[in-house]
Amino acid sequence: MEGGGGTLSEIHQTAKKFLLRSRDGLERLERLEYSATASAAVAGADTELSFAVKKDITQIQSLCVEMDRLWRSIAAKPQRDLWKRKVEQIAEEAESLKESLDKYNLRNQKRMREAKERAELLGRANGDSAHVLRIFDDDAQAMHSVRNSSRELENANALGEAILSSIHGQRERLKSAHRKALDILNTVGISNSVLRLIERRNRVDQWIKYAGMLLTVIFLFTFVLWRH
């Protein structure tokens, strides 16, 4: 019952020690995983412990291969069957520990990936917030400019209305004066040709008046647009 690494009993004892150490290491990993203190500060220690547990399990599997070779060389069948069960038990426990460690590593990788994604989202959120604030600031400046332009247009419109009102008053006074003049001319017997000449002159004066009103409005709006 001897092999390159010692007797079958010695190898079996060594394998059991590795099993105990692997089981203890895996339990520590799981406690850290579900502990409130598990954070990025202990991530390095988790990685080292996981690597150590994996190394021990690999060593156990290597010892199982050696023990499997040794128990087959036992002559007595009862002892051979006994050692077969012992070696199979060690191999099964090592395989179970390996599966548990693989599951832990998968959960740990998922947890690290989610933490990285959260950090990236937070970074993008901070960047987006600054961008949104800049947009709001630009919009506020644009609204302020629009309000100023609207206020100046209102002032220009009020000025135009005042001018038109004044021109309208002058027009009414001119009509009244025109009627009075016609009455006077009729009274003194002015000829029809003279009256027609006066009417044509009055129409010309009206066109001149309307042209002046239009030019005044165009000038006001051109002035407002030029200022902006």
Side-chain angles (χ1 to χ4, degrees):
M1 294 189 298
E2 295 184 357
T7 65
L8 182 55
S9 296
E10 291 172 346
I11 297 174
H12 183 263
Q13 290 299 320
T14 302
K16 289 182 67 175
K17 290 179 182 179
F18 279 119
L19 272 177
L20 290 173
R21 191 165 70 181
S22 300
R23 191 179 296 115
D24 179 68
L26 187 59
E27 290 176 354
R28 287 169 57 193
L29 285 173
E30 291 177 346
R31 284 197 300 270
L32 285 173
E33 179 183 8
Y34 296 107
S35 172
T37 59
S39 62
V42 295
D46 289 354
T47 302
E48 292 180 3
L49 182 56
S50 175
F51 180 77
V53 173
K54 182 178 180 180
K55 184 178 179 181
D56 286 345
I57 293 173
T58 301
Q59 185 64 34
I60 295 168
Q61 291 174 332
S62 298
L63 292 175
C64 286
V65 172
E66 180 68 14
M67 288 189 293
D68 187 70
R69 183 184 66 81
L70 290 176
W71 72 257
R72 293 177 186 277
S73 64
I74 298 175
K77 187 176 185 305
Q79 289 187 359
R80 188 168 63 248
D81 292 342
L82 176 63
W83 277 108
K84 178 184 177 182
R85 288 194 297 271
K86 287 184 178 182
V87 173
E88 288 176 347
Q89 183 180 6
I90 294 291
E92 289 173 358
E93 291 187 25
E95 185 63 26
S96 177
L97 288 174
K98 181 177 181 300
E99 291 177 358
S100 298
L101 180 63
D102 290 342
K103 291 178 181 179
Y104 165 81
N105 286 330
L106 288 175
R107 293 194 302 271
N108 190 46
Q109 291 173 4
K110 180 181 178 181
R111 188 167 59 252
M112 293 177 64
R113 183 171 62 252
E114 290 175 348
K116 181 180 178 181
E117 291 174 353
R118 284 195 298 270
E120 291 175 351
L121 286 173
L122 181 60
R124 285 198 295 268
N126 291 335
D128 291 343
S129 297
H131 179 64
V132 169
L133 289 176
R134 287 195 298 272
I135 291 176
F136 282 153
D137 185 59
D138 293 341
D139 288 345
Q141 292 180 1
M143 289 297 296
H144 180 70
S145 177
V146 168
R147 284 194 295 268
N148 288 339
S149 299
S150 177
R151 193 159 44 244
E152 293 191 8
L153 284 174
E154 289 176 356
N155 293 337
N157 184 60
L159 178 60
E161 290 179 353
I163 293 173
L164 291 176
S165 177
S166 176
I167 291 173
H168 179 72
Q170 292 177 4
R171 178 186 176 187
E172 293 299 324
R173 287 193 294 272
L174 286 173
K175 284 183 178 181
S176 177
H178 180 233
R179 285 193 298 269
K180 290 180 180 179
L182 289 177
D183 291 340
I184 294 172
L185 290 174
N186 288 329
T187 300
V188 297
I190 299 298
S191 65
N192 291 333
S193 60
V194 175
L195 292 175
R196 286 195 295 270
L197 178 62
I198 294 173
E199 289 178 354
R200 284 198 299 271
R201 179 59 183 270
N202 185 52
R203 284 196 295 271
V204 171
D205 290 342
Q206 287 183 348
W207 281 109
I208 293 173
K209 176 183 63 180
Y210 293 146
M213 292 169 59
L214 179 62
L215 289 175
T216 300
V217 173
I218 292 174
F219 172 76
L220 288 174
F221 278 101
T222 302
F223 176 73
V224 172
L225 293 176
W226 175 76
R227 289 196 60 185
H228 291 279

